[in-house]
């Protein structure tokens, strides 16, 4: 398995690609077969529950400790998405696509794109 593929993780459970059967890619995120299975179960349960009550925001049901425990998971996904974005931009740079076009695609100036994504080497 190439390095980049080995380092991919499920954005939901954070397992590495080698620890699960399959990772499905979205824009900057990935989901593993196990989490897809869990999503299927949740949808199935909700279909049977037939509740019409609006859902509370998830943090309304959580303790402060649980919310604090959740923060590093969100930060890890953010880091994963940042790395992924950097890889995609790096690939475009490898094709000699200008910072101007990359910036325009991301709604930022050429200068901002360069400052954010230029390689340190
Ligand atoms: Zn997963």
């Amino acid at each position: 398995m190439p390095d980049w593929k080995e380092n991919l993780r499920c954005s939901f459970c954070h397992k590495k690609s080698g620890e699960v059967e399959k990772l499905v890619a979205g824009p900057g995120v990935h989901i593993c077969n196990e989490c897809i299975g869990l999503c299927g179960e949740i949808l199935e349960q909700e279909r049977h529950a037939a509740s019409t009550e609006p859902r509370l925001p998830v943090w309304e049901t959580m303790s402060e400790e649980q919310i604090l425990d959740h923060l590093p998971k969100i930060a890890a996904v953010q880091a994963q998405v940042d790395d992924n974005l950097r890889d995609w931009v790096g690939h475009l740079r490898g094709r000699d696509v200008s910072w101007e076009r990359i910036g325009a695609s991301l709604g930022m100036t050429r200068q901002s794109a360069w400052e954010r994504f230029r390689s340190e080497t």
Side-chain angles (χ1 to χ4, degrees):
M1 208 186 298
D3 272 1
W4 66 269
K5 214 167 186 182
E6 219 166 315
N7 289 328
L8 293 180
R9 285 176 180 274
C10 174
S11 306
F12 291 78
C13 67
H14 220 59
K15 284 183 186 156
K16 283 185 170 180
S17 63
E19 299 171 327
V20 294
E21 221 170 90
K22 184 85 188 159
L23 270 186
V24 178
V29 293
H30 294 83
I31 187 167
C32 74
N33 60 296
E34 293 170 21
C35 288
I36 292 170
L38 190 60
C39 290
E41 285 173 30
I42 291 168
L43 289 175
E44 198 56 34
Q45 279 169 14
E46 298 214 336
R47 208 168 287 142
H48 291 304
S51 169
T52 55
E53 278 181 34
R55 284 182 157 258
L56 291 170
V58 68
W59 50 80
E60 295 290 339
T61 65
M62 297 169 82
S63 70
E64 282 165 18
E65 291 311 313
Q66 285 173 318
I67 296 172
L68 286 166
D69 281 350
H70 201 66
L71 296 186
K73 295 176 187 166
I74 298 174
V77 172
Q78 184 178 36
Q80 189 185 31
V81 171
D82 278 350
D83 284 351
N84 196 275
L85 185 56
R86 188 169 290 281
D87 288 347
W88 282 71
V89 168
H91 184 78
L92 282 173
R93 292 295 298 158
R95 290 187 185 193
D96 288 327
V97 172
S98 69
W99 287 114
E100 181 99 51
R101 285 181 71 195
I102 292 167
S105 169
L106 290 167
M108 57 174 68
T109 62
R110 183 202 141 280
Q111 179 71 21
S112 303
W114 179 78
E115 279 169 12
R116 176 154 173 205
F117 297 109
R118 78 193 138 134
S119 50
E120 306 298 327
T121 53

